[in-house]
Amino acid sequence: MTPVGAVPKHRFSRRDVLAGVSVALVAIPQALAYAELAGIPGAHGLYAVALPLVAAAFFASSPHLQTGPVATTALLTFGALVPMAAPRSGEYVALAALLALVVGVVRIAVGALRAGWISYLMSRPVLDGFMSGAAILIVASQIPGAAGVAAPGTGVMGRAAWTMGNPGTWEPTAVVVALLTVAVILGSRRVDPRIPGVLVAAVGGLVFSILTGYAGPRLGAIPAGLPPLTLDLPWQRLPSLVLPGVVIAMVGFAEAASICRTFASEDRERWDANREFVSQGAANVVAGLTGGFPVGGSFARSSLNRLTGASSRWAGLVTGVSVLLFLPLANVLAELPRAVLAGVVIAAVVNLFRPQAFMRLWAFSKPQAVVGWSTFVLTIFLAPHVEHAVLIGILMAGAVHLWRELAPEVETRRHGDTLVLEPRGVLWFGSAPVLDDRILASLDGQRDVERVVIRCGGLGRIDFTGAQALAEMLDQLRGAGLTVELSEVPEHAYRVLDAVGVLSAPGPSRGSS
């Protein structure tokens, strides 16, 4: 039996080999597609899968998490680098590798300092807003490729709008290929998640291209051989990559953490956020040293890994080695239509757009809904600098939290000559004056009130200054000739209220009112 608090230890088995190879067959076309999304030649997408997955396997705690290129991280990479260099250029590729190193170092530092708990700090409204906005941007970025055109302009939305507004420029075969790719991938998920729809679509597109002599845009030659190992990177540009590297490290890990939490809950096992930070960090460091770009946890590949029977973290190592062995043969994909890659990306992110989450959030909390919607809008309008939208969303979420902390609610009810007050929130030095004002406002004009009962069950926390303010408030009410009682005092507040003399003063009670 696994000791309480320990991460279960899984042994390598033949099922890991089957799962690892199965995931590799899907990871290869996805890596090519996500590299294109990040503005990087496809070969570097394969580099970001091979050795990084091998490195991640030695530190991971989840037996199912599969690391590598993912859509949101690719978009963040593109947003960080496109102002600094021309996509697909040698300088751009080197900056992507350096950015991966920054992401890796940040994640390793978080894990080493056992600060994995920060994976819980990315508020859901911010994450949903960013993911939904990113999904629209990613789909928009693939529209020209799906139509087989080279749209003019520099903005993602501008090129998409130009493409949609000029249907006469479309390559009909490319459009059909892209639509069929999306249909095959999404359809296979509905039939059985274990069906590698990405692989089926990629192989089908490749065979079609070879047999018909497809003349539309194709992937092109892929350098054969192992990933290059180098430290010859543009270190002088490092300061410009620190902020986007930190954002990618945190936002990208949110997806990996969600995957680990979901599977750990379903399997009734624990996972270790600190180890996963180190694992993801090691993968990014290796990606940076071998010509890759920032990587993260893939939900689709992790699900396939689990469904095909992976029983240990070594399945990821098998995936990495399988891709590594494929690299000398990678040029067989040269005739793959780029429309297939566009379809792969579109199918991967279409479910990230979640307007229903915002609708539910509006009914539950309008301030949090504003945070989510604002992050969503900013993600689209600040593109390609989408990391700025994330930062603004985090600041807004913090401001909403602070506002709630500063503005406790006070529900008021009248029973004869008794006024019942139920404050909710946190009573601390920042909110004490607000609570004082609201309680006094509740008494305004209530000349016939003789007794005041303050129910404290809704106060989540009371600090020393808040307790003192409450004591002074009670003294003022008693000085006005009112009988004052406290009820439902939380256990955690006994000590601090007793320290300021509230519980020993005449009138208050710990019991019911």
Side-chain angles (χ1 to χ4, degrees):
M1 180 178 291
T2 303
V4 175
V7 176
K9 298 188 180 298
H10 302 271
R11 293 185 177 182
F12 180 75
S13 71
R14 285 178 294 180
R15 292 185 300 171
D16 293 319
V17 176
L18 174 61
V21 172
S22 299
V23 173
L25 294 174
V26 172
I28 290 169
Q30 280 194 335
L32 295 169
Y34 296 148
E36 296 287 325
L37 173 60
I40 298 168
H44 295 270
L46 299 178
Y47 300 158
V49 179
L51 291 176
L53 258 173
V54 174
F58 286 94
F59 303 97
S61 68
S62 171
H64 306 302
L65 182 64
Q66 283 275 348
T67 304
V70 292
T72 51
T73 299
L75 176 66
L76 285 165
T77 298
F78 180 81
L81 301 183
V82 74
M84 303 174 66
R88 301 181 67 85
S89 66
E91 182 185 7
Y92 188 97
V93 170
L95 286 169
L98 183 57
L99 181 60
L101 275 177
V102 173
V103 173
V105 169
V106 170
R107 288 183 178 170
I108 288 174
V110 171
L113 294 173
R114 303 197 65 77
W117 50 267
I118 67 175
S119 64
Y120 294 88
L121 295 185
M122 178 72 69
S123 75
R124 197 73 226 179
V126 173
L127 194 57
D128 284 342
F130 169 71
M131 289 297 186
S132 295
I136 290 178
L137 288 176
I138 292 170
V139 171
S141 72
Q142 300 305 302
I143 288 177
V149 302
T154 56
V156 169
M157 300 300 290
R159 288 196 297 270
W162 186 92
T163 302
M164 297 301 294
N166 293 272
T169 64
W170 295 1
E171 169 59 50
T173 307
V175 174
V176 172
V177 168
L179 291 175
L180 283 175
T181 299
V182 175
V184 167
I185 295 173
L186 297 182
S188 65
R189 290 179 191 169
R190 285 181 173 271
V191 174
D192 189 333
R194 290 171 294 185
I195 298 176
V198 174
L199 176 64
V200 173
V203 172
L206 181 61
V207 171
F208 169 80
S209 177
I210 294 172
L211 294 181
T212 64
Y214 176 73
R218 290 159 292 174
L219 184 61
I222 300 176
L226 299 178
L229 181 61
T230 180
L231 280 172
D232 185 17
L233 301 173
W235 296 102
Q236 71 279 6
R237 309 292 294 275
L238 181 61
S240 302
L241 297 176
V242 172
L243 178 58
V246 171
V247 172
I248 293 174
M250 296 298 106
V251 175
F253 187 79
E255 187 172 4
S258 176
I259 295 167
C260 291
R261 280 198 292 266
T262 299
F263 291 159
S265 175
E266 292 177 359
D267 296 338
R268 300 186 182 183
E269 295 178 347
R270 292 195 62 189
W271 71 289
D272 188 328
N274 297 311
R275 281 181 57 182
E276 292 303 341
F277 259 112
V278 173
S279 172
Q280 296 282 296
N284 276 277
V285 167
V286 172
L289 296 176
T290 56
F293 58 98
V295 297
S298 165
F299 188 83
R301 297 195 297 274
S302 298
S303 297
L304 178 62
N305 190 44
R306 182 168 178 257
L307 288 170
T308 49
S311 59
S312 78
R313 55 196 167 100
W314 302 114
L317 184 145
V318 173
T319 300
V321 171
S322 299
V323 175
L324 195 64
L325 294 174
F326 173 77
L327 286 175
L329 309 172
N331 203 45
V332 300
L333 299 174
E335 298 300 314
L336 183 67
R338 289 186 179 273
V340 170
L341 299 181
V344 168
V345 173
I346 291 171
V349 304
V350 68
N351 290 330
L352 292 180
F353 181 57
R354 303 167 183 150
Q356 67 279 7
F358 295 137
M359 297 299 100
R360 289 195 301 268
L361 192 59
W362 182 261
F364 175 74
S365 171
K366 290 180 175 56
Q368 293 292 342
V370 169
V371 170
W373 279 109
S374 298
T375 306
F376 168 72
V377 172
L378 288 171
T379 298
I380 295 174
F381 281 94
L382 293 181
H385 298 289
V386 291
E387 72 277 7
H388 294 168
V390 175
L391 292 174
I392 294 173
I394 292 173
L395 291 175
M396 290 181 65
V400 168
H401 178 72
L402 181 60
W403 172 73
R404 286 187 166 181
E405 294 271 287
L406 287 170
E409 299 177 0
V410 181
E411 183 178 336
T412 305
R413 291 199 304 274
R414 178 77 182 268
H415 299 289
D417 63 354
T418 300
L419 184 66
V420 179
L421 305 174
E422 295 186 18
R424 291 187 178 87
V426 177
L427 183 56
W428 60 300
F429 68 87
S431 64
V434 179
L435 182 62
D436 190 7
D437 289 341
R438 293 192 174 182
I439 289 179
L440 293 178
S442 301
L443 287 167
D444 186 33
Q446 308 268 6
R447 300 288 183 182
D448 54 342
V449 170
E450 297 182 3
R451 179 169 172 259
V452 175
V453 176
I454 301 177
R455 292 181 173 175
C456 301
L459 292 175
R461 181 173 61 86
I462 303 176
D463 73 358
F464 187 74
T465 304
Q468 285 185 316
L470 181 60
E472 293 173 2
M473 196 185 313
L474 298 181
D475 287 342
Q476 293 171 6
L477 295 176
R478 293 187 183 102
L482 296 170
T483 300
V484 184
E485 297 181 10
L486 294 186
S487 70
E488 303 176 13
V489 177
E491 291 285 342
H492 63 80
Y494 285 164
R495 182 177 178 183
V496 67
L497 291 179
D498 190 51
V500 298
V502 170
L503 296 182
S504 58
S509 166
R510 297 185 185 181
S512 63
S513 61

